[in-house]
Amino acid sequence: MKLDSKIPAGHISTKWTDYKDHLKLVAPNNRGKIDVIIVGTGLAGASAAASLGEMGYSVKAFCYQDSPRRAHSIAAQGGINAAKNYQNDGDSIYRLFYDTIKGGDYRAREANVHRLAEVSVNIIDQCVAQGVPFARDYGGLLDNRSFGGTQVQRTFYAAGQTGQQLLLGAYSALSRQIGLGHVKMYNRHEMLDLVKVDGKARGIIARNLITGDLERHSAHAVVIATGGYGNVYFLSTNAMGSNVTAAWKVHKKGAYFANPCYVQIHPTCIPIHGTNQSKLTLMSESLRNSGRIWVPKKIEDAEAIRAGKLKPTQIAEEDRDYYLERRYPAFGNLVPRDVASRAAKERCDAGFGIENNATGEGVYLDFSTEIEKKGKEMAYIQGDHNPSKETVIKLGKQWIEEKYGNLFTMYEKITDENPYETPMKIYPAVHYTMGGVWVDYNLESTIPGCFVTGEANFSDHGANRLGASALMQGLADGYFVLPYTISDYLADDIRTGHISTDLPEFVEAENDVKGLIDRLLEVKGSKSVDQFHKELGLIMWNKVGMARNEQGLKEAIVEIAALREEFYNNVYVPGTAHELNTELEKALRVADFMELGQLMAVDALQRKESCGGHFREEYQDAEGETLRDDENFKFVGAWEYKGPEATQAVLHKEELVYEFITIAARNYK
């Protein structure tokens, strides 16, 4: 199949507006005759369900959590970008578009990213109308702060819980539609297969996670909004239940999977502390606004800190290496996530890490400078132009608490260290995934009628998207893009009528799911699902992680294949299929991670360049920065499923065309 991105012609600034003006519509009196299934109710899914319900479509929404309120979107703490230029510092739709394309290392689709920048301004208005409590300045206007990779302040935020507040807004809108009967909510249900009828997506097979019953649900279109796949690494900042299953099932049914090797490593997470850890905790990127990142200049100081013989507060200012400010003076601590992550890895690999763990991986995020600076400002505001040191520190801490108080509290509860007094320990961890199901400009996959939104698709991400963009894309897709494009598709379905779940395609799909469940339960092996998941995660982190090379990737492909074979012969899944069985749920998800992980390695191996979060050690410049190959790799790599062995997958290329932006080397110095 030849990939058709369906990007409309015209100037970039009017492309989306002109396109919308000519899309087909479904009249209000016909919308109730059309069923839409939405899988996933995070920001992308909840906003899409709410929007389509408000329009009058008959919507079924599914989530594996006990409530949409528990979607992983709540974990996005720092903020959401919008090109409103409230700070009058030169921001614009074009600059947000440019920053995002550049931050993605020129591996994102130009038209989609510009549309994202355009609708970003609407998102803020929508959310304010919903009552989302964005932070405000003294005069009552919405406040902004900076995020990595930009030189303007365009990030709107609600303390350190922006994702949670935005999700509350979307959930409120969704709840209204549930109350009106426009949306039927299926909590504790997991999609385990897509049903195609005559080549079109016409329904899903879902498992009721409480009873274990398999259910057939039909619709005229299916929307996948199930987030990313960072948990393939086992340890990540993702919620424990985040998985790739729904996206992988549609891939197995014919949807291409694009750029799976693009993984965003977030630089500000609490370091790994022990081998029994199952979860990593993200500290918001917004902290890099105020914190300075450093490690000791002297390796003996780093060794003494790791041994517990020296405290960071005992390291003199001249003995600290603020390595981001040293290497990237133009952006300093606000370089993009991939740059900050690699710089931390380089220092730790050289022996300057400060955390007392097996690998010595950790750097400091220090707020003492900001506390002093803001303390003086606050004292001045209060009329004290010659404040004592104690007053400065006290007022500075108050300012920090107002901005980041809940994050500091969370850090202290986890580490038992007071970050107001002692620098935070941080280290990069897997956070966001930028590959996903390939979609065209309409957010439609290569399966007609199967749409994919938010992090689950690949379209706006690039090789390393900037922070505060994930929330933006989820809500943009759900509130402002999908309602138009899916209506264009559904306009041809107003005479189709109800789709029966007795069709043979539903029976076959249900039997396939039942067969897989029975197969896993019958193994009765000696290793738990988590043991396999941990082994997969170690292979992924060590060989398909923050840095990759040809030899490691080839080894990973072989090792994952062997691990997958052992999984199906030696996994132990207790219990039965007809009950609440969380081990069975995990086993089904890990089975998909096994196939995806291998495809990630295959994709990383073919991409012989470094770009953003995809860092191939063979392709770097003399200063250790990424070395892109625009001549040979300026394309989206979309894979066609040909079986569980990913080496058999077929690569399709969508050339990336940049008409309105000049490609250049990324430089944050």
Side-chain angles (χ1 to χ4, degrees):
M1 177 190 293
K2 182 173 168 47
L3 291 173
D4 180 6
S5 58
K6 297 178 183 170
I7 296 172
H11 191 272
I12 193 85
S13 62
T14 58
K15 205 181 281 275
W16 173 234
T17 302
D18 292 344
Y19 188 65
K20 280 192 301 181
D21 289 345
H22 296 89
L23 289 173
K24 288 181 284 190
L25 302 173
V26 179
N29 57 316
N30 284 324
R31 293 173 192 161
K33 303 172 187 172
I34 293 178
D35 302 315
V36 179
I37 283 175
I38 295 177
V39 184
T41 52
L43 285 179
S47 58
S51 299
L52 297 179
E54 181 71 37
M55 292 168 73
Y57 289 109
S58 176
V59 178
K60 291 180 176 180
F62 295 78
C63 69
Y64 69 81
Q65 299 97 341
D66 49 14
S67 163
R69 275 281 287 110
R70 296 181 64 83
H72 180 60
S73 300
I74 65 165
Q77 300 155 328
I80 177 170
N81 285 337
K84 280 184 167 292
N85 195 30
Y86 278 9
Q87 303 288 349
N88 204 26
D89 54 3
D91 200 10
S92 64
I93 288 172
Y94 181 84
R95 195 175 292 277
L96 174 54
F97 157 65
Y98 174 80
D99 284 346
T100 307
I101 289 283
K102 178 186 173 188
D105 227 343
Y106 304 92
R107 293 294 179 264
R109 193 187 280 156
E110 194 182 60
N112 287 60
V113 173
H114 195 279
R115 177 174 66 185
L116 178 66
E118 285 178 62
V119 302
S120 69
V121 297
N122 304 112
I123 293 170
I124 303 303
D125 296 339
Q126 170 99 355
C127 293
V128 168
Q130 288 174 340
V132 172
F134 285 120
R136 292 176 183 269
D137 64 18
Y138 182 76
L141 298 175
L142 297 183
D143 198 11
N144 298 124
R145 57 188 176 199
S146 303
F147 253 49
T150 68
Q151 291 177 309
V152 297
Q153 291 176 270
R154 64 162 69 102
T155 305
F156 294 77
Y157 65 100
Q161 50 184 246
T162 313
Q164 179 167 335
Q165 297 300 332
L166 292 174
L167 186 64
L168 279 170
Y171 176 60
S172 299
L174 173 61
S175 296
R176 169 180 147 78
Q177 298 307 315
I178 293 171
L180 289 170
H182 297 164
V183 177
K184 187 170 183 182
M185 190 67 226
Y186 291 84
N187 301 326
R188 304 304 296 270
H189 279 65
E190 182 155 29
M191 170 186 156
L192 293 181
D193 207 355
L194 179 79
V195 180
K196 286 168 62 179
V197 179
D198 297 330
K200 296 180 178 178
R202 291 303 197 186
I204 65 170
I205 304 298
R207 181 169 181 267
N208 182 324
L209 299 180
I210 303 296
T211 65
D213 293 340
L214 296 181
E215 300 175 1
R216 306 173 191 173
H217 296 273
S218 67
H220 298 88
V222 175
V223 179
I224 305 296
T226 49
Y229 48 84
N231 270 344
V232 68
Y233 290 86
F234 188 71
L235 282 178
S236 81
T237 64
N238 287 189
M240 292 291 287
S242 295
N243 64 82
V244 76
T245 288
W248 197 251
K249 297 307 184 190
V250 303
H251 173 52
K252 293 175 79 167
K253 280 293 176 77
Y256 292 177
F257 206 97
N259 298 336
C261 75
Y262 289 167
V263 177
Q264 185 183 85
I265 311 291
H266 199 295
T268 54
C269 305
I270 298 177
I272 296 172
H273 195 66
T275 55
N276 293 322
Q277 205 166 334
S278 58
K279 176 82 179 72
L280 295 175
T281 303
L282 170 70
M283 302 306 298
S284 170
E285 179 173 331
S286 62
L287 294 173
R288 287 199 281 149
N289 269 303
S290 298
R292 300 178 70 195
I293 296 174
W294 62 275
V295 292
K297 274 183 183 173
K298 302 173 186 173
I299 202 156
E300 57 268 29
D301 284 348
E303 290 169 348
I305 286 175
R306 290 200 295 270
K309 298 175 182 174
L310 201 60
K311 294 181 179 177
T313 48
Q314 295 173 299
I315 304 291
E317 187 69 18
E318 61 270 21
D319 292 329
R320 300 179 177 190
D321 178 13
Y322 295 95
Y323 56 89
L324 289 178
E325 298 170 40
R326 170 171 56 81
R327 290 180 60 175
Y328 308 100
F331 282 74
N333 296 291
L334 289 176
V335 291
R337 293 174 177 178
D338 66 315
V339 176
S341 297
R342 277 196 297 279
K345 182 177 187 298
E346 186 276 329
R347 284 292 79 194
C348 292
D349 288 349
F352 293 91
I354 50 79
E355 175 65 319
N356 183 23
N357 56 23
T359 52
E361 291 173 336
V363 299
Y364 285 125
L365 181 59
D366 192 332
F367 296 89
S368 57
T369 303
E370 188 79 338
I371 287 173
E372 188 173 339
K373 176 185 170 189
K374 292 299 179 184
K376 286 179 181 174
E377 286 181 9
M378 298 307 292
Y380 206 89
I381 289 171
Q382 294 177 4
D384 184 353
H385 294 184
N386 190 24
S388 66
K389 186 174 181 181
E390 289 74 20
T391 299
V392 167
I393 299 299
K394 178 185 172 186
L395 293 175
K397 286 180 179 177
Q398 287 176 359
W399 186 91
I400 289 282
E401 185 177 7
E402 285 181 14
K403 285 279 184 182
Y404 313 110
N406 63 318
L407 298 172
F408 275 51
T409 301
M410 182 173 75
Y411 179 86
E412 186 169 7
K413 285 185 179 297
I414 293 172
T415 64
D416 198 29
E417 288 186 348
N418 181 353
Y420 293 99
E421 305 289 343
T422 304
M424 282 185 181
K425 295 174 181 175
I426 57 167
Y427 194 68
V430 172
H431 177 56
Y432 192 79
T433 49
M434 293 158 291
V437 179
W438 185 92
V439 292
D440 61 20
Y441 193 66
N442 294 330
L443 305 182
E444 189 176 16
S445 71
T446 44
I447 299 174
C450 179
F451 294 77
V452 185
T453 63
E455 189 181 356
N457 76 33
F458 88 102
S459 66
D460 301 3
H461 301 329
N464 182 73
R465 252 188 34 175
L466 302 176
S469 294
L471 300 178
M472 179 170 61
Q473 194 213 348
L475 292 178
D477 285 357
Y479 283 137
F480 299 110
V481 179
L482 188 74
Y484 293 94
T485 59
I486 200 170
S487 294
D488 182 69
Y489 173 82
L490 293 172
D492 294 331
D493 261 329
I494 58 174
R495 294 183 182 84
T496 300
H498 178 68
I499 296 166
S500 171
T501 56
D502 293 329
L503 291 169
E505 290 86 350
F506 280 89
V507 177
E508 183 183 351
E510 184 180 322
N511 286 339
D512 288 345
V513 172
K514 186 173 183 304
L516 176 60
I517 290 173
D518 290 344
R519 181 183 175 189
L520 291 170
L521 287 169
E522 288 166 1
V523 176
K524 301 296 183 190
S526 62
K527 289 171 65 173
S528 70
V529 177
D530 272 355
Q531 283 179 278
F532 281 103
H533 198 172
K534 278 185 181 180
E535 288 185 40
L536 174 66
L538 276 176
I539 297 171
M540 295 300 296
W541 181 247
N542 291 331
K543 297 177 178 176
V544 201
M546 205 170 355
R548 303 103 183 252
N549 59 53
E550 182 175 348
Q551 182 183 345
L553 291 168
K554 287 179 175 175
E555 290 171 0
I557 291 167
V558 174
E559 290 170 13
I560 293 170
L563 187 66
R564 188 177 64 238
E565 185 176 351
E566 187 193 355
F567 175 77
Y568 283 107
N569 289 294
N570 196 28
V571 71
Y572 176 67
V573 182
T576 71
H578 306 291
E579 61 180 344
L580 175 64
N581 188 338
T582 54
E583 286 300 300
L584 176 60
E585 293 170 26
K586 285 194 288 187
L588 290 164
R589 295 166 188 164
V590 170
D592 293 327
F593 280 139
M594 292 277 185
E595 295 184 13
L596 167 71
Q598 195 185 33
L599 183 65
M600 290 168 70
V602 168
D603 187 45
L605 183 63
Q606 66 85 23
R607 191 167 282 279
K608 295 178 179 176
E609 64 164 350
S610 289
C611 54
H614 170 63
F615 186 71
R616 282 283 298 266
E617 292 174 342
E618 306 95 320
Y619 307 100
Q620 56 182 302
D621 64 19
E623 297 179 325
E625 306 296 339
T626 55
L627 200 59
R628 283 198 329 260
D629 181 352
D630 294 331
E631 185 176 343
N632 294 304
F633 291 95
K634 189 165 56 65
F635 62 79
V636 175
W639 295 90
E640 182 181 0
Y641 188 81
K642 291 292 183 181
E645 181 60 36
T647 53
Q648 304 301 312
V650 175
L651 177 63
H652 300 263
K653 298 178 181 177
E654 177 197 339
E655 291 297 328
L656 289 167
V657 178
Y658 294 100
E659 296 178 80
F660 302 95
I661 207 163
T662 303
I663 296 179
R666 274 201 309 165
N667 184 357
Y668 295 96
K669 296 180 178 178

PDB file of all heavy atoms in Angstrom, residues 2-16:
ATOM      1  N   LYS A   2       0.584   2.176  -0.889  1.00  0.00           N
ATOM      2  CA  LYS A   2       1.332   3.425  -0.925  1.00  0.00           C
ATOM      3  C   LYS A   2       0.757   4.389   0.107  1.00  0.00           C
ATOM      4  O   LYS A   2      -0.453   4.572   0.197  1.00  0.00           O
ATOM      5  CB  LYS A   2       1.230   4.039  -2.330  1.00  0.00           C
ATOM      6  CG  LYS A   2       2.004   5.317  -2.505  1.00  0.00           C
ATOM      7  CD  LYS A   2       1.968   5.747  -3.962  1.00  0.00           C
ATOM      8  CE  LYS A   2       2.483   7.165  -4.151  1.00  0.00           C
ATOM      9  NZ  LYS A   2       3.728   7.461  -3.472  1.00  0.00           N
ATOM     10  N   LEU A   3       1.631   4.984   0.887  1.00  0.00           N
ATOM     11  CA  LEU A   3       1.175   5.892   1.932  1.00  0.00           C
ATOM     12  C   LEU A   3       0.694   7.208   1.320  1.00  0.00           C
ATOM     13  O   LEU A   3       1.391   7.812   0.514  1.00  0.00           O
ATOM     14  CB  LEU A   3       2.313   6.166   2.917  1.00  0.00           C
ATOM     15  CG  LEU A   3       2.740   4.983   3.786  1.00  0.00           C
ATOM     16  CD1 LEU A   3       3.987   5.340   4.580  1.00  0.00           C
ATOM     17  CD2 LEU A   3       1.618   4.559   4.716  1.00  0.00           C
ATOM     18  N   ASP A   4      -0.489   7.609   1.700  1.00  0.00           N
ATOM     19  CA  ASP A   4      -1.035   8.888   1.236  1.00  0.00           C
ATOM     20  C   ASP A   4      -1.346   9.730   2.463  1.00  0.00           C
ATOM     21  O   ASP A   4      -2.322   9.476   3.175  1.00  0.00           O
ATOM     22  CB  ASP A   4      -2.298   8.651   0.414  1.00  0.00           C
ATOM     23  CG  ASP A   4      -2.903   9.955  -0.084  1.00  0.00           C
ATOM     24  OD1 ASP A   4      -2.275  11.026   0.113  1.00  0.00           O
ATOM     25  OD2 ASP A   4      -4.008   9.918  -0.673  1.00  0.00           O
ATOM     26  N   SER A   5      -0.510  10.735   2.700  1.00  0.00           N
ATOM     27  CA  SER A   5      -0.693  11.554   3.905  1.00  0.00           C
ATOM     28  C   SER A   5      -1.876  12.510   3.782  1.00  0.00           C
ATOM     29  O   SER A   5      -2.307  13.084   4.787  1.00  0.00           O
ATOM     30  CB  SER A   5       0.590  12.335   4.196  1.00  0.00           C
ATOM     31  OG  SER A   5       0.911  13.147   3.091  1.00  0.00           O
ATOM     32  N   LYS A   6      -2.387  12.703   2.587  1.00  0.00           N
ATOM     33  CA  LYS A   6      -3.563  13.560   2.344  1.00  0.00           C
ATOM     34  C   LYS A   6      -3.367  14.991   2.850  1.00  0.00           C
ATOM     35  O   LYS A   6      -4.318  15.641   3.303  1.00  0.00           O
ATOM     36  CB  LYS A   6      -4.817  12.950   2.968  1.00  0.00           C
ATOM     37  CG  LYS A   6      -5.194  11.608   2.358  1.00  0.00           C
ATOM     38  CD  LYS A   6      -6.411  11.004   3.025  1.00  0.00           C
ATOM     39  CE  LYS A   6      -6.703   9.631   2.428  1.00  0.00           C
ATOM     40  NZ  LYS A   6      -7.713   8.871   3.175  1.00  0.00           N
ATOM     41  N   ILE A   7      -2.123  15.449   2.816  1.00  0.00           N
ATOM     42  CA  ILE A   7      -1.871  16.838   3.224  1.00  0.00           C
ATOM     43  C   ILE A   7      -2.427  17.770   2.151  1.00  0.00           C
ATOM     44  O   ILE A   7      -2.079  17.641   0.985  1.00  0.00           O
ATOM     45  CB  ILE A   7      -0.361  17.081   3.413  1.00  0.00           C
ATOM     46  CG1 ILE A   7       0.153  16.207   4.564  1.00  0.00           C
ATOM     47  CG2 ILE A   7      -0.084  18.544   3.694  1.00  0.00           C
ATOM     48  CD1 ILE A   7       1.638  16.214   4.710  1.00  0.00           C
ATOM     49  N   PRO A   8      -3.302  18.676   2.526  1.00  0.00           N
ATOM     50  CA  PRO A   8      -3.902  19.547   1.517  1.00  0.00           C
ATOM     51  C   PRO A   8      -2.906  20.558   0.950  1.00  0.00           C
ATOM     52  O   PRO A   8      -1.904  20.883   1.594  1.00  0.00           O
ATOM     53  CB  PRO A   8      -5.024  20.260   2.292  1.00  0.00           C
ATOM     54  CG  PRO A   8      -4.623  20.165   3.718  1.00  0.00           C
ATOM     55  CD  PRO A   8      -3.810  18.926   3.875  1.00  0.00           C
ATOM     56  N   ALA A   9      -3.221  21.027  -0.222  1.00  0.00           N
ATOM     57  CA  ALA A   9      -2.374  22.041  -0.849  1.00  0.00           C
ATOM     58  C   ALA A   9      -2.642  23.397  -0.207  1.00  0.00           C
ATOM     59  O   ALA A   9      -3.573  23.569   0.573  1.00  0.00           O
ATOM     60  CB  ALA A   9      -2.668  22.090  -2.346  1.00  0.00           C
ATOM     61  N   GLY A  10      -1.816  24.362  -0.561  1.00  0.00           N
ATOM     62  CA  GLY A  10      -2.031  25.721  -0.081  1.00  0.00           C
ATOM     63  C   GLY A  10      -0.964  26.156   0.892  1.00  0.00           C
ATOM     64  O   GLY A  10      -0.097  25.382   1.294  1.00  0.00           O
ATOM     65  N   HIS A  11      -1.062  27.439   1.254  1.00  0.00           N
ATOM     66  CA  HIS A  11      -0.064  27.974   2.181  1.00  0.00           C
ATOM     67  C   HIS A  11      -0.267  27.360   3.562  1.00  0.00           C
ATOM     68  O   HIS A  11      -1.401  27.082   3.977  1.00  0.00           O
ATOM     69  CB  HIS A  11      -0.176  29.506   2.253  1.00  0.00           C
ATOM     70  CG  HIS A  11       0.969  30.141   2.971  1.00  0.00           C
ATOM     71  ND1 HIS A  11       0.972  30.329   4.329  1.00  0.00           N
ATOM     72  CD2 HIS A  11       2.165  30.587   2.511  1.00  0.00           C
ATOM     73  CE1 HIS A  11       2.120  30.888   4.690  1.00  0.00           C
ATOM     74  NE2 HIS A  11       2.866  31.056   3.592  1.00  0.00           N
ATOM     75  N   ILE A  12       0.818  27.191   4.270  1.00  0.00           N
ATOM     76  CA  ILE A  12       0.761  26.509   5.564  1.00  0.00           C
ATOM     77  C   ILE A  12      -0.184  27.205   6.540  1.00  0.00           C
ATOM     78  O   ILE A  12      -0.842  26.560   7.363  1.00  0.00           O
ATOM     79  CB  ILE A  12       2.198  26.413   6.162  1.00  0.00           C
ATOM     80  CG1 ILE A  12       2.249  25.434   7.333  1.00  0.00           C
ATOM     81  CG2 ILE A  12       2.722  27.773   6.583  1.00  0.00           C
ATOM     82  CD1 ILE A  12       2.436  24.028   6.953  1.00  0.00           C
ATOM     83  N   SER A  13      -0.275  28.527   6.436  1.00  0.00           N
ATOM     84  CA  SER A  13      -1.084  29.280   7.407  1.00  0.00           C
ATOM     85  C   SER A  13      -2.585  29.154   7.158  1.00  0.00           C
ATOM     86  O   SER A  13      -3.395  29.451   8.050  1.00  0.00           O
ATOM     87  CB  SER A  13      -0.672  30.756   7.394  1.00  0.00           C
ATOM     88  OG  SER A  13      -0.911  31.301   6.118  1.00  0.00           O
ATOM     89  N   THR A  14      -2.973  28.731   5.955  1.00  0.00           N
ATOM     90  CA  THR A  14      -4.410  28.625   5.642  1.00  0.00           C
ATOM     91  C   THR A  14      -4.825  27.206   5.286  1.00  0.00           C
ATOM     92  O   THR A  14      -5.996  26.953   5.011  1.00  0.00           O
ATOM     93  CB  THR A  14      -4.759  29.547   4.448  1.00  0.00           C
ATOM     94  OG1 THR A  14      -3.946  29.178   3.316  1.00  0.00           O
ATOM     95  CG2 THR A  14      -4.510  31.000   4.794  1.00  0.00           C
ATOM     96  N   LYS A  15      -3.853  26.302   5.293  1.00  0.00           N
ATOM     97  CA  LYS A  15      -4.098  24.932   4.850  1.00  0.00           C
ATOM     98  C   LYS A  15      -5.263  24.286   5.630  1.00  0.00           C
ATOM     99  O   LYS A  15      -6.194  23.737   5.054  1.00  0.00           O
ATOM    100  CB  LYS A  15      -2.801  24.130   5.080  1.00  0.00           C
ATOM    101  CG  LYS A  15      -2.621  22.927   4.203  1.00  0.00           C
ATOM    102  CD  LYS A  15      -1.315  22.226   4.553  1.00  0.00           C
ATOM    103  CE  LYS A  15      -0.098  22.877   3.963  1.00  0.00           C
ATOM    104  NZ  LYS A  15       0.198  22.461   2.594  1.00  0.00           N
ATOM    105  N   TRP A  16      -5.195  24.336   6.955  1.00  0.00           N
ATOM    106  CA  TRP A  16      -6.206  23.672   7.782  1.00  0.00           C
ATOM    107  C   TRP A  16      -7.564  24.354   7.646  1.00  0.00           C
ATOM    108  O   TRP A  16      -8.599  23.701   7.517  1.00  0.00           O
ATOM    109  CB  TRP A  16      -5.734  23.656   9.241  1.00  0.00           C
ATOM    110  CG  TRP A  16      -6.719  23.147  10.248  1.00  0.00           C
ATOM    111  CD1 TRP A  16      -7.131  23.788  11.380  1.00  0.00           C
ATOM    112  CD2 TRP A  16      -7.419  21.878  10.245  1.00  0.00           C
ATOM    113  NE1 TRP A  16      -8.036  23.011  12.076  1.00  0.00           N
ATOM    114  CE2 TRP A  16      -8.228  21.837  11.405  1.00  0.00           C
ATOM    115  CE3 TRP A  16      -7.435  20.793   9.367  1.00  0.00           C
ATOM    116  CZ2 TRP A  16      -9.053  20.746  11.720  1.00  0.00           C
ATOM    117  CZ3 TRP A  16      -8.267  19.705   9.675  1.00  0.00           C
ATOM    118  CH2 TRP A  16      -9.050  19.683  10.827  1.00  0.00           C
TER     119      TRP A  16
END
